[in-house]
mmCIF file of all heavy atoms in Angstrom:
data_model
loop_
_atom_site.group_PDB
_atom_site.id
_atom_site.type_symbol
_atom_site.label_atom_id
_atom_site.label_comp_id
_atom_site.label_asym_id
_atom_site.label_seq_id
_atom_site.Cartn_x
_atom_site.Cartn_y
_atom_site.Cartn_z
ATOM 1 N N LYS A 634 -3.459 -14.673 37.411
ATOM 2 C CA LYS A 634 -2.691 -15.842 37.764
ATOM 3 C C LYS A 634 -3.739 -16.987 38.147
ATOM 4 O O LYS A 634 -4.715 -16.734 38.828
ATOM 5 C CB LYS A 634 -1.809 -15.508 38.887
ATOM 6 C CG LYS A 634 -0.792 -16.606 39.184
ATOM 7 C CD LYS A 634 -0.066 -16.317 40.401
ATOM 8 C CE LYS A 634 1.183 -15.451 40.242
ATOM 9 N NZ LYS A 634 2.026 -15.350 41.478
ATOM 10 N N LEU A 635 -3.367 -18.156 37.716
ATOM 11 C CA LEU A 635 -4.134 -19.355 38.143
ATOM 12 C C LEU A 635 -3.205 -20.302 38.820
ATOM 13 O O LEU A 635 -2.176 -20.658 38.184
ATOM 14 C CB LEU A 635 -4.821 -20.010 36.908
ATOM 15 C CG LEU A 635 -5.618 -21.312 37.181
ATOM 16 C CD1 LEU A 635 -6.957 -21.271 36.450
ATOM 17 C CD2 LEU A 635 -4.866 -22.510 36.627
ATOM 18 N N TYR A 640 -1.146 -29.528 41.921
ATOM 19 C CA TYR A 640 -0.021 -29.862 41.062
ATOM 20 C C TYR A 640 1.255 -29.767 41.908
ATOM 21 O O TYR A 640 1.448 -28.796 42.679
ATOM 22 C CB TYR A 640 0.139 -28.863 39.898
ATOM 23 C CG TYR A 640 1.108 -29.165 38.830
ATOM 24 C CD1 TYR A 640 0.717 -29.977 37.734
ATOM 25 C CD2 TYR A 640 2.478 -28.745 38.889
ATOM 26 C CE1 TYR A 640 1.579 -30.288 36.814
ATOM 27 C CE2 TYR A 640 3.357 -29.101 37.925
ATOM 28 C CZ TYR A 640 2.926 -29.854 36.845
ATOM 29 O OH TYR A 640 3.737 -30.214 35.883
ATOM 30 N N GLU A 642 4.420 -28.972 43.843
ATOM 31 C CA GLU A 642 5.193 -27.779 43.951
ATOM 32 C C GLU A 642 6.675 -28.062 43.465
ATOM 33 O O GLU A 642 7.114 -29.176 43.669
ATOM 34 C CB GLU A 642 5.264 -27.293 45.392
ATOM 35 C CG GLU A 642 4.188 -26.116 45.510
ATOM 36 C CD GLU A 642 4.173 -25.485 47.000
ATOM 37 O OE1 GLU A 642 4.909 -24.642 47.212
ATOM 38 O OE2 GLU A 642 3.283 -26.044 47.657
ATOM 39 N N GLY A 643 7.259 -27.077 42.849
ATOM 40 C CA GLY A 643 8.644 -27.210 42.398
ATOM 41 C C GLY A 643 8.825 -28.080 41.125
ATOM 42 O O GLY A 643 9.853 -28.306 40.731
ATOM 43 N N THR A 644 7.693 -28.474 40.539
ATOM 44 C CA THR A 644 7.790 -29.313 39.403
ATOM 45 C C THR A 644 7.372 -28.499 38.079
ATOM 46 O O THR A 644 6.542 -27.687 38.227
ATOM 47 C CB THR A 644 6.740 -30.523 39.546
ATOM 48 O OG1 THR A 644 6.940 -31.089 40.864
ATOM 49 C CG2 THR A 644 6.985 -31.571 38.455
ATOM 50 N N THR A 645 8.082 -28.887 37.061
ATOM 51 C CA THR A 645 7.573 -28.298 35.735
ATOM 52 C C THR A 645 7.630 -29.451 34.767
ATOM 53 O O THR A 645 8.307 -30.464 34.987
ATOM 54 C CB THR A 645 8.564 -27.247 35.202
ATOM 55 O OG1 THR A 645 9.845 -27.758 35.099
ATOM 56 C CG2 THR A 645 8.533 -26.007 36.131
ATOM 57 N N GLU A 646 6.923 -29.316 33.633
ATOM 58 C CA GLU A 646 7.129 -30.290 32.611
ATOM 59 C C GLU A 646 7.119 -29.635 31.223
ATOM 60 O O GLU A 646 6.617 -28.450 31.059
ATOM 61 C CB GLU A 646 5.966 -31.351 32.674
ATOM 62 C CG GLU A 646 4.595 -30.880 32.697
ATOM 63 C CD GLU A 646 3.649 -31.987 32.962
ATOM 64 O OE1 GLU A 646 3.657 -33.037 32.329
ATOM 65 O OE2 GLU A 646 2.785 -31.782 33.896
ATOM 66 N N PRO A 665 6.853 -24.985 28.230
ATOM 67 C CA PRO A 665 6.903 -25.317 29.717
ATOM 68 C C PRO A 665 5.628 -25.089 30.333
ATOM 69 O O PRO A 665 4.802 -24.169 30.077
ATOM 70 C CB PRO A 665 8.033 -24.324 30.301
ATOM 71 C CG PRO A 665 8.572 -23.637 29.156
ATOM 72 C CD PRO A 665 7.592 -23.687 28.020
ATOM 73 N N PHE A 666 5.261 -26.067 31.322
ATOM 74 C CA PHE A 666 3.949 -26.040 32.065
ATOM 75 C C PHE A 666 4.302 -26.199 33.502
ATOM 76 O O PHE A 666 5.256 -26.956 33.871
ATOM 77 C CB PHE A 666 3.074 -27.100 31.593
ATOM 78 C CG PHE A 666 1.759 -27.132 32.250
ATOM 79 C CD1 PHE A 666 0.759 -26.247 31.963
ATOM 80 C CD2 PHE A 666 1.491 -28.095 33.315
ATOM 81 C CE1 PHE A 666 -0.478 -26.283 32.546
ATOM 82 C CE2 PHE A 666 0.265 -28.099 33.946
ATOM 83 C CZ PHE A 666 -0.690 -27.206 33.628
ATOM 84 N N GLY A 667 3.608 -25.507 34.377
ATOM 85 C CA GLY A 667 3.937 -25.640 35.833
ATOM 86 C C GLY A 667 2.655 -25.337 36.673
ATOM 87 O O GLY A 667 1.516 -25.160 36.167
ATOM 88 N N ARG A 668 2.875 -25.171 37.894
ATOM 89 C CA ARG A 668 1.878 -25.120 38.954
ATOM 90 C C ARG A 668 1.055 -23.745 38.741
ATOM 91 O O ARG A 668 -0.093 -23.614 39.080
ATOM 92 C CB ARG A 668 2.489 -25.170 40.287
ATOM 93 C CG ARG A 668 1.522 -25.317 41.399
ATOM 94 C CD ARG A 668 2.291 -25.642 42.667
ATOM 95 N NE ARG A 668 1.388 -26.068 43.718
ATOM 96 C CZ ARG A 668 0.968 -25.217 44.628
ATOM 97 N NH1 ARG A 668 1.340 -23.970 44.625
ATOM 98 N NH2 ARG A 668 0.117 -25.638 45.545
ATOM 99 N N GLU A 669 1.773 -22.768 38.270
ATOM 100 C CA GLU A 669 1.080 -21.392 38.083
ATOM 101 C C GLU A 669 1.198 -20.965 36.640
ATOM 102 O O GLU A 669 2.195 -20.945 35.996
ATOM 103 C CB GLU A 669 1.890 -20.379 38.924
ATOM 104 C CG GLU A 669 1.763 -20.703 40.392
ATOM 105 C CD GLU A 669 2.346 -19.585 41.287
ATOM 106 O OE1 GLU A 669 3.064 -18.663 40.787
ATOM 107 O OE2 GLU A 669 2.118 -19.630 42.500
ATOM 108 N N VAL A 670 -0.061 -20.611 36.221
ATOM 109 C CA VAL A 670 -0.124 -20.184 34.824
ATOM 110 C C VAL A 670 -0.843 -18.868 34.776
ATOM 111 O O VAL A 670 -1.590 -18.503 35.776
ATOM 112 C CB VAL A 670 -0.830 -21.178 33.871
ATOM 113 C CG1 VAL A 670 0.030 -22.442 33.712
ATOM 114 C CG2 VAL A 670 -2.212 -21.445 34.344
ATOM 115 N N TYR A 671 -0.804 -18.103 33.683
ATOM 116 C CA TYR A 671 -1.690 -16.950 33.459
ATOM 117 C C TYR A 671 -2.832 -17.377 32.504
ATOM 118 O O TYR A 671 -2.503 -18.074 31.516
ATOM 119 C CB TYR A 671 -1.003 -15.747 32.853
ATOM 120 C CG TYR A 671 0.050 -15.071 33.750
ATOM 121 C CD1 TYR A 671 1.424 -15.122 33.436
ATOM 122 C CD2 TYR A 671 -0.409 -14.359 34.902
ATOM 123 C CE1 TYR A 671 2.325 -14.492 34.369
ATOM 124 C CE2 TYR A 671 0.465 -13.745 35.743
ATOM 125 C CZ TYR A 671 1.829 -13.770 35.423
ATOM 126 O OH TYR A 671 2.764 -13.177 36.322
ATOM 127 N N TRP A 744 -3.436 -20.323 28.021
ATOM 128 C CA TRP A 744 -2.611 -20.111 29.249
ATOM 129 C C TRP A 744 -1.186 -19.885 28.844
ATOM 130 O O TRP A 744 -0.775 -20.300 27.759
ATOM 131 C CB TRP A 744 -2.695 -21.323 30.192
ATOM 132 C CG TRP A 744 -2.218 -22.636 29.546
ATOM 133 C CD1 TRP A 744 -2.937 -23.391 28.704
ATOM 134 C CD2 TRP A 744 -0.841 -23.054 29.446
ATOM 135 N NE1 TRP A 744 -2.228 -24.495 28.264
ATOM 136 C CE2 TRP A 744 -0.890 -24.278 28.652
ATOM 137 C CE3 TRP A 744 0.339 -22.764 30.058
ATOM 138 C CZ2 TRP A 744 0.226 -25.018 28.423
ATOM 139 C CZ3 TRP A 744 1.443 -23.465 29.753
ATOM 140 C CH2 TRP A 744 1.433 -24.573 28.938
ATOM 141 N N VAL A 745 -0.425 -19.234 29.730
ATOM 142 C CA VAL A 745 1.045 -19.317 29.588
ATOM 143 C C VAL A 745 1.638 -19.513 30.968
ATOM 144 O O VAL A 745 0.994 -19.105 31.964
ATOM 145 C CB VAL A 745 1.611 -17.959 28.946
ATOM 146 C CG1 VAL A 745 1.120 -17.794 27.538
ATOM 147 C CG2 VAL A 745 1.324 -16.803 29.802
ATOM 148 N N ASP A 746 2.749 -20.154 30.949
ATOM 149 C CA ASP A 746 3.434 -20.525 32.233
ATOM 150 C C ASP A 746 3.918 -19.145 32.966
ATOM 151 O O ASP A 746 4.523 -18.308 32.342
ATOM 152 C CB ASP A 746 4.640 -21.335 31.873
ATOM 153 C CG ASP A 746 5.494 -21.683 33.076
ATOM 154 O OD1 ASP A 746 4.973 -22.070 34.141
ATOM 155 O OD2 ASP A 746 6.718 -21.545 32.877
ATOM 156 N N VAL A 747 3.612 -19.049 34.218
ATOM 157 C CA VAL A 747 4.005 -17.843 34.957
ATOM 158 C C VAL A 747 5.594 -17.606 34.917
ATOM 159 O O VAL A 747 6.055 -16.496 34.660
ATOM 160 C CB VAL A 747 3.540 -17.880 36.455
ATOM 161 C CG1 VAL A 747 4.194 -16.778 37.256
ATOM 162 C CG2 VAL A 747 2.026 -17.636 36.444
ATOM 163 N N ASN A 748 6.305 -18.633 35.181
ATOM 164 C CA ASN A 748 7.743 -18.450 35.341
ATOM 165 C C ASN A 748 8.463 -18.238 34.011
ATOM 166 O O ASN A 748 9.508 -17.500 34.061
ATOM 167 C CB ASN A 748 8.367 -19.765 35.968
ATOM 168 C CG ASN A 748 7.904 -19.920 37.403
ATOM 169 O OD1 ASN A 748 7.822 -18.870 38.130
ATOM 170 N ND2 ASN A 748 7.663 -21.104 37.843
ATOM 171 N N THR A 749 8.027 -18.739 32.944
ATOM 172 C CA THR A 749 8.887 -18.629 31.783
ATOM 173 C C THR A 749 8.221 -17.718 30.681
ATOM 174 O O THR A 749 8.880 -17.383 29.719
ATOM 175 C CB THR A 749 9.126 -20.005 31.118
ATOM 176 O OG1 THR A 749 7.752 -20.603 30.781
ATOM 177 C CG2 THR A 749 9.885 -20.932 31.971
ATOM 178 N N SER A 750 6.929 -17.300 30.860
ATOM 179 C CA SER A 750 6.395 -16.462 29.868
ATOM 180 C C SER A 750 7.040 -15.096 29.862
ATOM 181 O O SER A 750 7.620 -14.771 30.945
ATOM 182 C CB SER A 750 4.808 -16.313 30.094
ATOM 183 O OG SER A 750 4.536 -15.701 31.378
ATOM 184 N N VAL A 751 6.812 -14.290 28.906
ATOM 185 C CA VAL A 751 7.444 -12.999 28.810
ATOM 186 C C VAL A 751 6.380 -11.830 28.526
ATOM 187 O O VAL A 751 5.432 -12.150 27.929
ATOM 188 C CB VAL A 751 8.466 -12.867 27.680
ATOM 189 C CG1 VAL A 751 9.932 -12.944 28.225
ATOM 190 C CG2 VAL A 751 8.287 -13.839 26.607
ATOM 191 N N GLU A 752 6.729 -10.749 29.128
ATOM 192 C CA GLU A 752 5.766 -9.612 28.973
ATOM 193 C C GLU A 752 5.919 -9.100 27.545
ATOM 194 O O GLU A 752 7.016 -9.074 26.935
ATOM 195 C CB GLU A 752 6.177 -8.487 29.959
ATOM 196 C CG GLU A 752 5.141 -7.475 30.175
ATOM 197 C CD GLU A 752 5.485 -6.490 31.233
ATOM 198 O OE1 GLU A 752 5.829 -6.887 32.408
ATOM 199 O OE2 GLU A 752 5.432 -5.249 30.940
ATOM 200 N N ARG A 790 1.085 -11.147 28.344
ATOM 201 C CA ARG A 790 2.065 -12.123 28.564
ATOM 202 C C ARG A 790 2.033 -13.160 27.317
ATOM 203 O O ARG A 790 0.990 -13.555 26.860
ATOM 204 C CB ARG A 790 1.865 -13.095 29.743
ATOM 205 C CG ARG A 790 1.604 -12.325 31.111
ATOM 206 C CD ARG A 790 2.914 -11.724 31.564
ATOM 207 N NE ARG A 790 4.040 -12.756 31.784
ATOM 208 C CZ ARG A 790 5.180 -12.361 32.509
ATOM 209 N NH1 ARG A 790 5.297 -11.185 33.050
ATOM 210 N NH2 ARG A 790 6.025 -13.285 32.652
ATOM 211 N N VAL A 791 3.232 -13.524 26.831
ATOM 212 C CA VAL A 791 3.216 -14.410 25.737
ATOM 213 C C VAL A 791 4.162 -15.610 26.103
ATOM 214 O O VAL A 791 5.108 -15.471 26.963
ATOM 215 C CB VAL A 791 3.866 -13.690 24.390
ATOM 216 C CG1 VAL A 791 2.850 -12.699 23.955
ATOM 217 C CG2 VAL A 791 5.216 -13.187 24.675
ATOM 218 N N GLU A 792 4.022 -16.715 25.503
ATOM 219 C CA GLU A 792 4.777 -17.906 25.887
ATOM 220 C C GLU A 792 6.271 -17.768 25.555
ATOM 221 O O GLU A 792 6.619 -16.917 24.742
ATOM 222 C CB GLU A 792 4.166 -19.185 25.184
ATOM 223 C CG GLU A 792 4.300 -19.192 23.654
ATOM 224 C CD GLU A 792 3.938 -20.503 23.092
ATOM 225 O OE1 GLU A 792 2.775 -20.857 23.112
ATOM 226 O OE2 GLU A 792 4.849 -21.189 22.631
ATOM 227 N N LYS A 793 7.061 -18.579 26.253
ATOM 228 C CA LYS A 793 8.510 -18.422 26.251
ATOM 229 C C LYS A 793 9.052 -18.481 24.745
ATOM 230 O O LYS A 793 10.046 -17.817 24.476
ATOM 231 C CB LYS A 793 9.000 -19.629 26.976
ATOM 232 C CG LYS A 793 10.582 -19.722 27.069
ATOM 233 C CD LYS A 793 10.953 -20.847 28.008
ATOM 234 C CE LYS A 793 12.444 -21.016 28.013
ATOM 235 N NZ LYS A 793 12.867 -22.276 27.442
#
Side-chain angles (χ1 to χ4, degrees):
K634 193 190 272 188
L635 177 133
Y640 191 89
E642 262 178 87
T644 312
T645 58
E646 57 189 304
F666 180 78
R668 192 169 190 266
E669 295 188 348
V670 295
Y671 289 114
W744 58 274
V745 297
D746 176 47
V747 164
N748 290 321
T749 57
S750 63
V751 258
E752 197 176 304
R790 305 290 303 192
V791 295
E792 64 170 73
K793 177 174 178 251

